[in-house]
């Protein structure tokens, strides 16, 4: 079943309710966005206008599983207003229906269209036409369909006001930019840092969830840059903001510390959260250990290990992730030389958990993967992510562990 077929299937109960009750029903918000883009619908949001409260309730019980129905006309945050608020699900897809009883749709939808975050949020598609896509009646006062086709994000109201009244707007905009390739207009990201009080209302969990999604995306650097541009890094990970424009010795590094960190994160090919966290934070201790005269960062791996543990604890990561990332950061500066004696090599191998069982996959060890990504993100060494000295080291480990 492709996405188009799936969406028609998942919206079928709405067709049945509409036919039974003759109510006006419109899918809206992200449901309309997914439907138009032929993306799989993840939740169903509906605005309905019915002249018969009882028959409408009977019909929704008939076709969908109801969690609760609230009789209310008060504003319930993002749920909006309505005479009835219906919460349920169909085939495990959450459904929210805002029901107006005995009221005209035109004025309510016109007002509703201009109260959303983005123009693409203000598209209302008549349920009665969903089976005939060429003839679906649509209310699109804010011209959201045109913006969807152009792949742009525009706020309906002033961007600063939008962020101030609903800072989660910023998280949504970042997701559209990263995962859907939308261009965000109206200076939304540029104005966001000016609304620091509003950004502080974003919860740590909301930020961490977004941060993890970014880290596990195809190119984490794009999202991390937007976190910086929008002011969210300054609030939630100020230690990373401090790496901006921290210059490094040009003989060994092409980029400043921040750019090097995000490119190293990109260089971790597999979507492994622990590895990408380690890559992003492996030099986080450099601003605190900078010796300007010597252009060096002595002991930055030790300082960085302590810093990254505090960051990850603050963001609510699990203890195992915190410990694993901390250890990778602390050990990423290992400096093997051919003068190491056998005992030193074996101690190193033991510390990394190398045994006869994994000798043939040394290149998959997290610390070695981090070393390769570090060189790729360096800018001057990307053509040789694995040095001959590293290959010699791995060969020597294999020989010594095999003899044990």
């Amino acid at each position: 079943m492709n996405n188009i077929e799936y969406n028609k299937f998942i919206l079928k109960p709405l067709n049945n309710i509409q036919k039974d009750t003759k109510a006006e029903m419109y899918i809206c918000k992200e449901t309309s966005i997914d439907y138009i883009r032929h993306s799989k619908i993840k939740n169903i949001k509906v605005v309905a206008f019915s002249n018969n409260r009882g028959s409408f309730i009977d019909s929704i019980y008939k076709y969908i599983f109801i969690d609760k129905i609230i009789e209310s006309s008060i504003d319930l945050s993002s749920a909006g207003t309505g005479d009835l608020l219906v919460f349920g699900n169909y085939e495990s897809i959450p459904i929210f229906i805002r029901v107006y009883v005995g009221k005209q749709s035109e004025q309510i939808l016109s007002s509703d269209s201009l109260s959303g975050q983005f123009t693409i949020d203000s598209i209302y598609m008549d349920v009665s036409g969903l089976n005939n896509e060429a003839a679906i009646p649509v209310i699109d006062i804010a011209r959201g369909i045109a913006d969807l086709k152009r792949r742009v994000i525009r706020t309906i109201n002033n961007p600063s006001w939008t962020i101030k009244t609903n800072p989660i707007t910023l998280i949504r905009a970042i997701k559209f930019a990263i995962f859907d390739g939308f261009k965000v207009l109206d200076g939304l990201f540029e104005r966001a840092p000016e609304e620091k009080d509003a950004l502080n209302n974003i919860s740590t969990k909301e930020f961490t969830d977004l941060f993890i999604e970014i880290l596990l995306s195809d190119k984490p650097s794009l999202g991390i840059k937007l976190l910086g541009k929008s002011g969210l890094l300054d609030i939630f990970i100020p230690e990373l903001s401090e790496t901006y424009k921290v210059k490094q010795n040009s003989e060994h590094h092409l980029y400043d510390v921040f750019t090097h960190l995000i490119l190293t994160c990109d260089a971790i090919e597999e979507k492994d959260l622990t590895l990408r966290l380690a890559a992003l934070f492996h030099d986080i201790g450099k601003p605190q250990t900078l010796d300007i005269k010597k252009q060096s960062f002595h002991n930055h791996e030790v300082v960085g290990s302590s810093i990254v543990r505090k960051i990850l604890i603050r963001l609510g990561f699990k203890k195992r992730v915190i410990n694993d990332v901390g250890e990778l950061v602390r050990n990423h500066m290992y400096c093997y030389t051919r003068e190491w004696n056998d005992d030193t090599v074996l101690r190193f191998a033991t510390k990394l958990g190398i045994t006869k069982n994994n000798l043939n996959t040394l290149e998959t060890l997290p610390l070695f993967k981090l070393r390769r990504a570090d060189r790729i993100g360096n800018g001057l060494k990307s053509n040789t992510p694995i040095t001959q000295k590293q290959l010699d080291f791995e060969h020597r480990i294999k020989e010594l562990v095999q003899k044990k």
Side-chain angles (χ1 to χ4, degrees):
M1 185 184 297
N2 61 35
N3 287 352
I4 295 175
E5 294 168 338
Y6 173 83
N7 288 346
K8 288 184 177 181
F9 163 74
I10 211 69
L11 295 175
K12 189 174 181 180
L14 303 183
N15 293 114
N16 293 332
I17 294 170
Q18 195 273 333
K19 287 177 183 178
D20 282 1
T21 64
K22 303 298 186 274
E24 281 186 69
M25 297 178 66
Y26 301 86
I27 59 171
C28 59
K29 309 295 183 185
E30 53 263 49
T31 313
S32 295
I33 294 170
D34 286 341
Y35 189 90
I36 293 170
R37 298 185 65 213
H38 301 314
S39 300
K40 184 173 285 190
I41 290 173
K42 304 170 194 66
N43 59 69
I44 301 172
K45 291 190 176 180
V46 182
V47 180
F49 299 86
S50 175
N51 291 322
N52 190 317
R53 176 185 179 281
S55 66
F56 191 85
I57 291 177
D58 289 344
S59 185
I60 59 176
Y61 270 108
K62 181 178 177 181
Y63 294 109
I64 64 176
F65 178 82
I66 302 299
D67 295 319
K68 61 182 175 181
I69 297 178
I70 300 175
E71 297 194 42
S72 175
S73 60
I74 62 172
D75 190 355
L76 293 180
S77 183
S78 60
T81 59
D83 299 314
L84 297 173
L85 302 175
V86 180
F87 298 85
N89 70 80
Y90 177 69
E91 295 288 332
S92 299
I93 300 296
I95 297 179
F96 169 71
I97 307 176
R98 182 157 37 113
V99 187
Y100 294 91
V101 180
K103 295 177 181 176
Q104 297 298 312
S105 61
E106 185 176 349
Q107 184 176 353
I108 290 173
L109 291 182
S110 295
S111 174
D112 209 38
S113 294
L114 300 176
S115 64
Q117 298 172 14
F118 305 133
T119 57
I120 61 174
D121 292 325
S122 299
I123 304 168
Y124 297 83
M125 305 180 72
D126 195 324
V127 168
S128 65
L130 294 181
N131 288 325
N132 183 8
E133 195 160 331
I136 301 176
V138 175
I139 297 173
D140 183 21
I141 295 174
R143 300 180 182 176
I145 292 178
D147 286 345
L148 268 182
K149 291 180 178 178
R150 292 168 55 213
R151 301 178 76 82
V152 299
I153 294 296
R154 291 188 301 120
T155 56
I156 292 176
N157 298 292
N158 177 279
S160 297
W161 184 88
T162 301
I163 294 170
K164 191 176 295 185
T165 55
N166 196 341
I168 296 301
T169 300
L170 200 57
I171 288 180
R172 289 190 65 215
I174 290 173
K175 287 184 177 183
F176 273 117
I178 298 167
F179 302 113
D180 299 298
F182 277 60
K183 184 176 181 180
V184 179
L185 305 180
D186 302 328
L188 182 69
F189 293 140
E190 291 78 4
R191 296 192 189 187
E194 300 169 5
E195 305 301 333
K196 191 170 183 178
D197 288 344
L199 299 188
N200 277 312
N201 289 325
I202 295 174
S203 71
T204 299
K205 184 181 185 307
E206 288 166 333
F207 174 83
T208 300
D209 288 347
L210 173 64
F211 184 50
I212 290 173
E213 285 188 61
I214 288 171
L215 287 173
L216 298 181
S217 66
D218 292 336
K219 194 172 183 179
S221 61
L222 296 177
I224 297 165
K225 286 179 183 177
L226 290 181
L227 292 179
K229 189 176 184 179
S230 64
L232 290 176
L233 272 190
D234 289 341
I235 292 173
F236 291 97
I237 317 179
E239 300 91 340
L240 192 54
S241 291
E242 289 173 11
T243 65
Y244 278 118
K245 299 182 180 178
V246 175
K247 294 181 179 180
Q248 306 188 84
N249 190 320
S250 59
E251 291 183 14
H252 305 292
H253 287 274
L254 183 62
Y255 306 113
D256 60 70
V257 175
F258 178 81
T259 304
H260 169 60
L261 290 177
I262 62 176
L263 292 180
T264 301
C265 189
D266 283 348
I268 298 292
E269 294 181 358
E270 58 268 65
K271 295 180 179 181
D272 182 299
L273 181 60
T274 297
L275 266 176
R276 287 192 172 179
L277 281 167
L280 180 63
F281 291 119
H282 74 279
D283 283 344
I284 197 69
K286 282 191 170 181
Q288 286 76 13
T289 57
L290 172 62
D291 185 323
I292 297 177
K293 290 183 179 180
K294 295 182 179 179
Q295 284 190 303
S296 65
F297 307 92
H298 179 66
N299 233 25
H300 75 270
E301 69 277 16
V302 177
V303 173
S305 178
S306 175
I307 292 173
V308 75
R309 289 173 189 273
K310 291 176 182 177
I311 292 171
L312 298 183
I313 289 171
R314 187 171 70 234
L315 295 180
F317 281 89
K318 293 180 179 179
K319 186 175 181 180
R320 181 173 179 178
V321 172
I322 295 169
N323 289 336
D324 288 349
V325 172
E327 285 302 300
L328 285 169
V329 171
R330 185 179 181 88
N331 294 311
H332 83 274
M333 287 295 291
Y334 71 91
C335 186
Y336 168 74
T337 70
R338 294 174 178 87
E339 285 70 41
W340 280 21
N341 61 38
D342 291 352
D343 287 342
T344 302
V345 173
L346 284 172
R347 280 197 301 272
F348 185 92
T350 300
K351 186 175 182 179
L352 292 190
I354 298 172
T355 66
K356 292 180 181 179
N357 294 329
N358 58 8
L359 282 180
N360 293 325
T361 56
L362 290 185
E363 70 279 359
T364 67
L365 289 174
L367 188 60
F368 290 170
K369 284 185 176 181
L370 178 58
R371 171 59 62 89
R372 288 194 291 275
D374 192 0
R375 290 183 62 85
I376 292 171
N378 173 281
L380 298 177
K381 304 172 183 177
S382 56
N383 291 330
T384 55
I386 304 176
T387 63
Q388 186 58 50
K389 186 165 70 170
Q390 175 68 25
L391 292 174
D392 291 346
F393 186 30
E394 293 179 17
H395 178 72
R396 193 171 172 196
I397 289 173
K398 289 180 181 179
E399 282 189 333
L400 292 174
V401 173
Q402 192 68 50
K403 290 178 181 178
K404 282 181 65 178

